[in-house]
């Protein structure tokens, strides 16, 4: 029986999520025995378009990306996005806080604007149908392995739909909020074993927000810790500016800034 063919593709990203695939050192050989990788720029020269599964990393930032991801979608029976850049736009989405031309001018003051730059940075799912999303910056390699092996068994993978706080509490980490430090663990999807709070770092929401996340309740708690509403919204925009729950808050920023300036 022929092995399922897999292609790995990258758009605007640091390519760290692709590297996680290469980092599954112990299991990679076993995995490679069960799939055939036919397109993976990071790891091989061969480039074929007869893949059934496409793993797509990165945000869609140019009109060329739009054409390319549509072509990939057309070739693949199953398309999986890997990592925050692809799933939520990740850090790339911060570009959307200003017009594309303005962002270009700030980064490349001496170069003419590239007309292929799209007006907005988009998630892959805003451009083509996505069958499964693996969140995180970077993705968790154990989760990647679980998703791939489950798909290869013909089953649908399931990722946790609980907050990071659940994993954090179970791990017995001291809560950063108790120390007056912001943390978005209560509104963020778990699955990372609360790795940031485990090392004393705040969760900044890289795995994306839970549906129906208690955002206003968290803003109220953080207000009591001395974080302004504006600051909290700006931090939420770091990874989740395209989330429908954050967009209305982002719209408030102009008003809040005027209030602060007045
Ligand atoms: S999600 Fe993070 S690690 Fe993955 S490609 Fe984007 S920036 Fe890199
Ligand atoms: S440190 Fe963060 S993730 Fe952990 S319990 Fe507190 S708020 Fe939740
Ligand atoms: S703790 Fe939060 S920021 Fe850190 S990996 Fe998990 S979801 Fe991402």
């Amino acid at each position: 029986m022929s092995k399922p063919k897999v292609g790995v593709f990258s758009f605007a990203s640091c390519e760290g999520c692709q590297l996680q695939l290469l980092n599954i050192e112990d299991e990679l050989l076993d995995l490679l025995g069960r799939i055939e990788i036919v397109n993976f720029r990071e790891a091989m020269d061969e480039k074929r378009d007869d893949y059934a599964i496409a793993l797509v990393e990165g945000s869609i930032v140019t009109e060329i990306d739009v054409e390319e991801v549509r072509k990939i979608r057309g070739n693949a029976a199953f398309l999986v996005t890997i990592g925050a850049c692809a799933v939520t736009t990740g850090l790339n989405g911060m570009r959307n806080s200003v017009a594309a031309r303005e962002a270009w001018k700030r980064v490349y003051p001496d170069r003419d604007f590239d007309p292929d730059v799209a007006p907005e940075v988009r998630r892959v799912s805003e451009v083509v149908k996505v069958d499964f999303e693996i969140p995180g910056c970077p993705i968790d390699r154990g989760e990647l392995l679980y998703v791939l092996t489950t798909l290869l068994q013909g089953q649908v993978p399931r990722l946790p739909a609980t907050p990071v706080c659940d994993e954090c509490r179970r791990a017995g980490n001291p809560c950063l909020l108790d120390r007056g430090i912001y943390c978005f663990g209560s509104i963020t999807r778990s699955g990372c074993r609360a790795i940031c709070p485990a090392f004393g770092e705040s969760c900044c929401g890289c795995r994306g927000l839970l549906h129906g996340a208690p955002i206003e309740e968290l803003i109220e708690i953080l207000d009591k810790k001395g974080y302004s509403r504006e600051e909290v919204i700006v931090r939420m925009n770091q990874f989740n500016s395209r989330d429908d729950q954050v967009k209305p808050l982002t719209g408030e920023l102009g008003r809040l800034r005027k209030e602060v300036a007045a």
Side-chain angles (χ1 to χ4, degrees):
M1 201 172 77
S2 68
K3 298 182 215 169
K5 297 183 180 64
V6 176
V8 184
F9 303 92
S10 182
F11 293 94
S13 67
C14 78
E15 307 201 343
C17 289
Q18 286 184 70
L19 291 179
Q20 288 290 70
L21 183 58
L22 295 172
N23 281 344
I24 320 175
E25 293 143 5
D26 294 340
E27 298 88 355
L28 191 58
L29 286 178
D30 174 52
L31 188 64
L32 286 175
R34 299 165 62 197
I35 60 174
E36 184 183 356
I37 297 186
V38 297
N39 205 321
F40 189 177
R41 183 180 54 78
E42 192 78 45
M44 58 197 272
D45 294 331
E46 191 178 354
K47 278 187 185 170
R48 280 165 40 199
D49 289 330
D50 57 338
Y51 41 88
I53 300 174
L55 301 180
V56 178
E57 174 199 72
S59 314
I60 304 303
V61 302
T62 67
E63 301 305 339
I64 297 165
D65 290 348
V66 173
E67 279 172 37
E68 188 62 23
V69 79
R70 283 184 180 149
K71 198 176 94 192
I72 293 166
R73 174 70 272 186
N75 290 336
F78 210 83
L79 190 150
V80 181
T81 44
I82 56 171
C85 293
V87 174
T88 69
T89 70
L91 297 178
N92 300 323
M94 289 193 289
R95 194 200 89 185
N96 294 337
S97 63
V98 293
R101 278 179 185 274
E102 175 58 26
W104 180 277
K105 207 164 64 182
R106 289 187 196 178
V107 180
Y108 306 113
D110 303 326
R111 285 172 53 189
D112 290 340
F113 180 69
D114 180 345
D116 279 326
V117 171
E120 286 191 300
V121 176
R122 281 179 282 175
R123 307 183 294 253
V124 173
S125 63
E126 290 178 274
V127 180
V128 294
K129 177 176 173 281
V130 170
D131 298 300
F132 199 81
E133 296 181 321
I134 306 180
C137 178
I139 51 169
D140 180 280
R141 56 186 169 173
E143 199 163 78
L144 173 67
L145 190 66
Y146 157 72
V147 169
L148 289 177
T149 48
T150 307
L151 288 175
L152 291 173
Q153 286 161 2
Q155 293 168 5
V156 181
R158 286 182 197 283
L159 299 188
T162 51
V164 171
C165 286
D166 274 11
E167 292 178 318
C168 193
R169 299 279 77 193
R170 268 188 271 126
N173 301 326
C175 184
L176 293 161
L177 292 176
D178 291 342
R179 290 164 48 200
I181 300 171
Y182 93 93
C183 185
F184 292 162
S186 59
I187 59 172
T188 302
R189 294 169 63 178
S190 64
C192 58
R193 298 178 299 280
I195 191 162
C196 300
F199 286 94
E201 295 292 337
S202 303
C203 171
C204 50
C206 85
R207 287 180 60 88
L209 301 188
L210 291 159
H211 295 298
I215 292 177
E216 285 299 335
E217 289 82 347
L218 180 60
I219 290 177
E220 208 173 298
I221 290 169
L222 291 174
D223 177 58
K224 295 194 178 96
K225 312 278 177 198
Y227 290 91
S228 70
R229 188 175 177 87
E230 179 191 346
E231 185 177 358
V232 176
I233 297 171
V234 167
R235 286 179 191 270
M236 281 181 188
N237 267 276
Q238 190 180 7
F239 274 101
N240 291 295
S241 60
R242 300 299 273 180
D243 189 296
D244 286 340
Q245 302 167 101
V246 174
K247 278 183 189 169
L249 299 175
T250 310
E252 284 181 35
L253 278 178
R255 178 180 61 76
L256 289 169
R257 282 175 177 154
K258 271 187 207 141
E259 278 175 16
V260 170

